[in-house]
Amino acid sequence: MPVPLYQAKADFFRTLGHPARIRVLELLQEGPLPVRDLLAQIDIEASSLSQQLAVLRRAGVVSAAREGSTVVYSLATPELADLLDAVRRILTEMLVDQGELLAELRAESHG
């Protein structure tokens, strides 16, 4: 029996549900990067980064290519960059709304 679409979506978002994985995807938005560059830009142990990259790779979110002795990672599809941009816009809008509410609450308490 196939997995319902809502379950597949939940599994996908669960895959993204770790700060290091999100950071990897953000860095890969600019283009493919070798592991050493990812490691230099993410405050995480090499073994932990390797573990998080394996999760993303198994889920098909990133792809890995060997260039000599170096493994280079890239986003599996450009739509992932679009998703990260959409999340940024959504969060910005939510924060703007919260800021407006906070301003109203402050004005109310001083009025």
Side-chain angles (χ1 to χ4, degrees):
M1 182 171 185
V3 174
L5 182 57
Y6 62 84
Q7 181 65 50
K9 287 178 181 180
D11 293 343
F12 174 78
F13 282 113
R14 208 173 356 270
T15 297
L16 301 182
H18 189 285
R21 291 182 219 146
I22 294 295
R23 187 67 185 126
V24 165
L25 297 179
E26 288 174 344
L27 293 169
L28 294 178
Q29 277 184 285
E30 304 303 316
L33 288 172
V35 175
R36 69 175 173 276
D37 289 2
L38 291 171
L39 195 54
Q41 297 187 59
I42 302 174
D43 188 24
I44 190 173
E45 295 290 324
S47 60
S48 295
L49 178 59
S50 178
Q51 201 173 34
Q52 300 309 327
L53 287 167
V55 170
L56 292 171
R57 207 171 49 245
R58 275 193 308 274
V61 175
V62 299
S63 39
R66 187 165 289 282
E67 294 179 5
S69 62
T70 302
V71 178
V72 176
Y73 284 88
S74 59
L75 295 178
T77 174
E79 283 78 9
L80 288 162
D82 296 340
L83 175 64
L84 292 171
D85 289 340
V87 169
R88 186 176 294 114
R89 288 191 307 274
I90 291 166
L91 288 174
T92 299
E93 190 62 37
M94 290 170 65
L95 290 171
V96 166
D97 290 347
Q98 289 176 0
E100 290 170 358
L101 177 59
L102 182 59
E104 286 178 34
L105 289 170
R106 285 186 174 146
E108 205 173 83
S109 69
H110 291 102

